[in-house]
Structure formats: structure tokens, C-alpha cells
């Protein structure tokens, strides 16, 4: 997938609280100026293979059909290097989560930059030498994404990013009008895309 630089496992899988119906929450670090393109490719590719979580609950934040959640990937947070630090407010849930994040893809220096950006509010420093042993960054995978990145760079990529941004923001705004949300954390701009529409679980934690 082009323009994806780092990926962390988050949520219950990272914190060790996963249950039978849990999904795989991911935080994705995208290249500056290509966050909407990276998200579009993630949604398309993982959706094509049936691996992406789909929440079909449109009427209540308390109901989610587990068929669309279990073992699926949830792309709830995309950031560029300018926004590696999590937007506030920060609470104990977010501190525990960010202390538990597991890197599974990316360059060591960028992973460390992400850790450093969040160190102040998390309250501890993390170093990626040990945890990076599990991170995947194969030459084949990078070569594939680099081809797409070269094609989608420059004016062509700028035009595509602008188009995908327009389409996605339109869908996001429509979804916000139609869904019943519970104290949502929703951010969508050129540096960060965060989608936590129902934060009751976080509040209870």
C-alpha cells in the first residue's frame, strides 16, 4: 500500500484484553500530503479481501454485529509525521494504550520519532530496538509500494489526493449526520484522520 510508513497494533490486541469477537485496531503513519490516498488504498485493499471491519450499526452505539468485527482490521487512526502526537484530551486509557502499542511495520527511526512525540503526555520514554524484532519491512513489500508511490507522486498524486479527500470528507460528514454517536473523537484533516465515534468503552475504562 503506497504512502504507508509505519503501522502499530492498538486497541485490545495491544493491551492484552482481546476477546473472541475483538477486531484488530491499527494506527497508520502516512506520508505528508498523502494521508487520504493511503487511507483509500487501505480501505480498498482490505475491503477487497474481506479483511476490513465494517460497522453496520446505524442506530445505536451499543449494537455492533460481531460478524463484521471479529478478526477484522479497523483503520481508526491515520497520522502524518506532523501529527504523531495524539490530540488531547489524554486520560488513563490513552496512556495505557500508547504504552502498549506494538509496531508491525515501518522504519525504526520513524517508529522512534512516533514514540518521542508522545513521550511527554504518556509519561514514559519507549525505545524500539527490542520491539522492532516483530516489525515487518520486507524488501518486496517496499519495492511494490515504491512503484505506486513513484507513479502517484507529483501533480498526478496531488490531484488524486485532492479528489480522494473530497470524496472521503463528504462520506464522513454524511455519516456523522446519520449515526447516533457517543462523545465522539472525530478528526479529519490533512495531518490526522481519527475515527472513534463511540467512546463509552474508553469512558468506562
Amino acid at each position: 500500500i503506497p504512502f504507508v510508513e509505519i503501522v502499530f497494533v492498538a486497541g485490545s490486541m495491544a493491551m492484552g484484553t482481546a476477546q473472541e469477537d475483538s477486531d484488530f485496531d491499527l494506527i497508520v503513519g502516512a506520508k505528508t500530503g498523502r494521508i487520504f490516498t493511503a487511507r483509500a488504498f487501505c480501505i480498498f485493499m482490505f475491503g477487497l479481501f474481506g479483511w476490513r471491519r465494517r460497522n453496520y450499526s446505524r442506530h445505536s452505539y451499543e449494537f455492533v454485529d460481531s460478524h463484521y468485527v471479529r478478526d477484522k482490521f479497523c483503520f481508526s487512526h491515520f497520522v502524518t509525521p506532523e501529527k504523531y502526537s495524539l490530540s488531547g484530551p489524554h486520560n488513563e486509557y490513552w496512556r495505557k494504550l500508547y504504552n502498549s502499542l506494538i509496531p508491525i511495520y515501518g522504519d525504526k527511526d520513524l517508529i522512534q520519532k512516533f514514540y518521542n512525540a508522545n513521550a511527554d503526555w504518556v509519561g514514559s520514554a519507549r525505545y524500539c530496538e527490542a520491539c522492532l524484532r516483530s516489525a515487518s519491512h520486507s524488501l518486496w513489500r517496499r519495492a511494490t509500494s515504491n512503484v505506486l508511490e513513484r507513479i502517484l507522486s507529483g501533480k498526478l498524486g496531488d490531484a488524486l489526493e485532492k479528489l480522494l479527500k473530497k470524496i472521503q470528507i463528504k462520506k464522513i460528514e454524511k455519516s456523522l449526520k446519520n449515526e447516533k454517536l457517543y462523545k465522539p473523537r472525530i478528526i479529519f484533516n490533512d495531518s490526522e484522520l481519527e475515527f472513534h465515534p463511540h467512546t463509552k468503552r474508553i469512558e468506562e475504562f
Side-chain angles (χ1 to χ4, degrees):
I1 294 179
F3 307 116
V4 169
E5 297 185 313
I6 54 176
V7 181
F8 295 88
V9 173
S12 60
M13 190 64 65
M15 293 193 291
T17 58
Q19 300 178 3
E20 183 178 352
D21 292 336
S22 294
D23 60 4
F24 290 84
D25 285 291
L26 299 174
I27 298 176
V28 179
K31 283 191 175 182
T32 299
R34 292 293 183 267
I35 193 169
F36 288 95
T37 302
R39 180 173 182 263
F41 269 88
C42 286
I43 290 173
F44 174 75
M45 293 298 295
F46 281 77
L48 182 66
F49 291 102
W51 298 340
R52 176 181 169 237
R53 168 179 171 157
R54 299 185 65 85
N55 183 359
Y56 281 23
S57 173
R58 294 289 182 180
H59 307 292
S60 171
Y61 59 81
E62 295 179 342
F63 170 75
V64 178
D65 191 336
S66 62
H67 173 73
Y68 300 108
V69 176
R70 184 190 299 120
D71 298 335
K72 306 294 185 181
F73 291 93
C74 179
F75 294 96
S76 58
H77 205 167
F78 288 78
V79 292
T80 64
E82 296 79 15
K83 202 62 191 65
Y84 276 175
S85 180
L86 178 70
S87 299
H90 306 128
N91 56 31
E92 189 58 31
Y93 172 86
W94 294 110
R95 290 187 183 91
K96 180 175 174 60
L97 175 62
Y98 269 60
N99 268 312
S100 304
L101 294 178
I102 301 170
I104 56 171
Y105 177 82
D107 178 77
K108 186 180 79 170
D109 291 338
L110 285 179
I111 292 171
Q112 188 62 58
K113 182 178 180 180
F114 184 95
Y115 286 157
N116 294 344
N118 292 282
D120 288 344
W121 70 266
V122 168
S124 62
R126 290 189 64 183
Y127 300 95
C128 64
E129 281 81 359
C131 62
L132 196 66
R133 294 171 187 165
S134 62
S136 173
H137 198 225
S138 73
L139 292 176
W140 179 87
R141 198 174 285 112
R142 281 309 307 173
T144 306
S145 62
N146 281 339
V147 170
L148 288 171
E149 288 178 11
R150 284 196 296 270
I151 295 172
L152 298 177
S153 294
K155 293 182 179 180
L156 176 61
D158 292 341
L160 179 62
E161 175 75 7
K162 185 176 180 180
L163 175 62
L164 292 173
K165 176 182 178 179
K166 182 178 180 180
I167 293 172
Q168 290 177 54
I169 287 180
K170 185 176 180 179
K171 288 186 176 181
I172 292 166
E173 290 176 340
K174 181 180 179 181
S175 178
L176 291 175
K177 291 180 181 179
N178 294 337
E179 286 198 38
K180 181 180 178 181
L181 310 178
Y182 184 89
K183 297 181 180 180
R185 281 179 58 105
I186 306 293
I187 300 172
F188 48 100
N189 56 52
D190 292 329
S191 300
E192 183 176 19
L193 299 170
E194 182 183 357
F195 307 103
H196 292 102
H198 314 302
T199 60
K200 185 177 182 180
R201 178 169 58 99
I202 297 173
E203 190 176 73
E204 290 172 346
F205 180 92

